[in-house]
Structure formats: structure tokens, C-alpha cells
Amino acid sequence: AQSVTQPDARVTVSEGASLQLRCKYSSSGTPYLFWYVQYPRQGLQLLLKYYSGDPVVQGVNGFEAEFSKSNSSFHLRKASVHWSDSAVYFCVLSAGAGNTGKLIFGLGTTLQVQP
Amino acid sequence: EAAVTQSPRNKVTVTGGNVTLSCRQTNSHNYMYWYRQDTGHGLRLIHYSYGAGNLQIGDVPDGYKATRTTQEDFFLLLELASPSQTSLYFCASRPQGAETLYFGSGTRLTVL
């Protein structure tokens, strides 16, 4: 069965500190992986995506993620967080073969950036 | 930038009430989706559609109907609302050949 696990429900960091949000996945085939962000009172927005190739993918606002097949992981990183990065972050796995677009969402990690 | 608009933003109804949530996307995307978001469950797929007149069952369809009247419009219907359907509902669209979803801002539904 395909699944996504975000082991940390909540992460608190200080502004300017580095960040890593963890994501583990289980997939029977080639995984398509995404990170989405949800700011307060808004819908989800795509941060970055991984299909194949270079395991480190760059996203918006200085975020990057590293895919590891051996560890079944797709961790999100940022070198220096800003207070505006406070949001809920979802790791997402594409489950559909062909283009059904059915996605499996992790439960999300709430990031709080303290001044 | 893809635009997905949901209405209403907030809705309160009573148990047994009839509710329709609306979603419109203006980018001619083929695929549209209805999700519900609940604490402890993340986002769960209710129904989705490949195009006008097409409907597909998602993972948590019980108690919900959906209708895709046009390429742009996708509606979620709760004909006998129950308190368990109190949730934050998101609509999303996706163009064919791409994996990225574009989300609306959500509708918060409260069933008393």
C-alpha cells in the first residue's frame, strides 16, 4: 500500500535558523513526490516536486528537498527561515498511474517560526 | 496563474439540511477534485472528475454527491447533512499531462 508519513506534527524554529521537515513514503512504483504549503486561511500551494533525475530539487522561496530511494524519504529543507514561513507543510505522493492525479497526503507538519 | 474559486467561504447548516458547495476554475483544466481536510486525517478525496459530465468516486464518498456541469464548474452536494460532515472543503483543478494541483481557498462547513 502506498502511504506518506510526516513524523513531526509540529516544528518550532527561530527565525534565521535552518529547517528540515521530514517525510517518509511507501510506494510500489516510481514515486512522484511533492511538497505543498498551506498558509493560514488559504488553500494549498505547490512548493516543489520530484519526478526523476537529480535527487535534490529546488522550489520557491529558498526551499529544497532531497529524494532518497534507499531511505524512502523526501525531506524538505531551508537554510534560513523567515517568520512568513510559518504554515502547514504537506508531503504528497502521487498514487495514480497515468494521469488520474490521485494524491496521497501526509498529515502535515505545522511550522512555527519564532522571532 | 491558475484560478480556482470556491463559494461560499463559510456555511452553517443544521442536521438534515441541503448544502451545495461551488467551485469554478478559469483555466480550462480537465481534472477537478473535492477534498475535505480534518485534523488528524489530512486531506481526503471525496469525488473527482475528468471533464464535463464525468464523475469518479474518491476515497470518502459516503454522504456526498458531485456534479460537473461544465469544464469550469464542479459542485459538491450534501443532501442530508450530518455533523460528521463538519469540515474544511477544498476544490482543486489540474491540467491534463501535469501532476500539480491548484487549490481554491476552501469552504468551511459547519453542520449543527
Side-chain angles (χ1 to χ4, degrees):
Chain A
Q2 304 194 79
S3 65
V4 174
T5 301
Q6 294 180 247
D8 305 307
R10 191 173 190 90
V11 171
T12 301
V13 298
S14 299
E15 192 166 23
S18 63
L19 170 71
Q20 177 171 278
L21 300 182
R22 297 183 292 163
C23 173
K24 300 277 285 185
Y25 71 89
S26 174
S27 175
S28 55
T30 302
Y32 289 177
L33 291 158
F34 309 79
W35 277 98
Y36 281 81
V37 60
Q38 183 179 27
Y39 297 105
R41 295 172 296 283
Q42 295 186 29
L44 283 71
Q45 304 169 35
L46 181 68
L47 268 182
L48 48 79
K49 58 188 175 185
Y50 173 80
Y51 290 168
S52 64
D54 189 337
V56 179
V57 291
Q58 303 297 320
V60 299
N61 297 335
F63 285 94
E64 67 175 29
E66 183 167 6
F67 170 74
S68 171
K69 186 174 182 178
S70 60
N71 294 325
S72 297
S73 66
F74 189 57
H75 300 331
L76 182 70
R77 303 188 298 235
K78 187 170 184 179
S80 177
V81 296
H82 186 264
W83 64 267
S84 60
D85 293 324
S86 296
V88 182
Y89 292 80
F90 291 92
C91 183
V92 183
L93 170 70
S94 177
N99 284 314
T100 63
K102 289 188 69 175
L103 302 181
I104 297 171
F105 288 78
L107 296 185
T109 297
T110 299
L111 172 65
Q112 183 174 4
V113 180
Q114 293 181 331
Chain B
E1 180 72 19
V4 181
T5 304
Q6 294 183 236
S7 62
R9 190 65 186 258
N10 294 282
K11 176 72 176 179
V12 179
T13 190
V14 295
T15 299
N18 193 323
V19 176
T20 298
L21 307 185
S22 302
C23 178
R24 166 166 283 204
Q25 53 96 4
T26 58
N27 289 278
S28 300
H29 289 173
N30 290 351
Y31 299 89
M32 296 185 75
Y33 304 82
W34 278 108
Y35 288 90
R36 61 178 289 174
Q37 183 179 25
D38 304 286
T39 303
H41 292 279
L43 271 77
R44 294 179 289 176
L45 181 63
I46 305 170
H47 290 299
Y48 62 107
S49 168
Y50 295 157
N54 175 268
L55 287 172
Q56 302 293 321
I57 295 173
D59 300 320
V60 289
D62 293 347
Y64 302 95
K65 293 183 179 180
T67 178
R68 180 89 177 268
T69 55
T70 65
Q71 183 81 338
E72 294 77 21
D73 297 305
F74 195 31
F75 300 93
L76 186 67
L77 295 79
L78 293 73
E79 295 182 332
L80 287 171
S82 72
S84 65
Q85 294 176 307
T86 293
S87 186
L88 181 58
Y89 291 86
F90 285 104
C91 176
S93 71
R94 178 177 72 86
Q96 187 161 5
E99 296 284 341
T100 302
L101 291 184
Y102 296 87
F103 284 84
S105 297
T107 294
R108 183 166 295 282
L109 174 67
T110 302
V111 183
L112 301 175

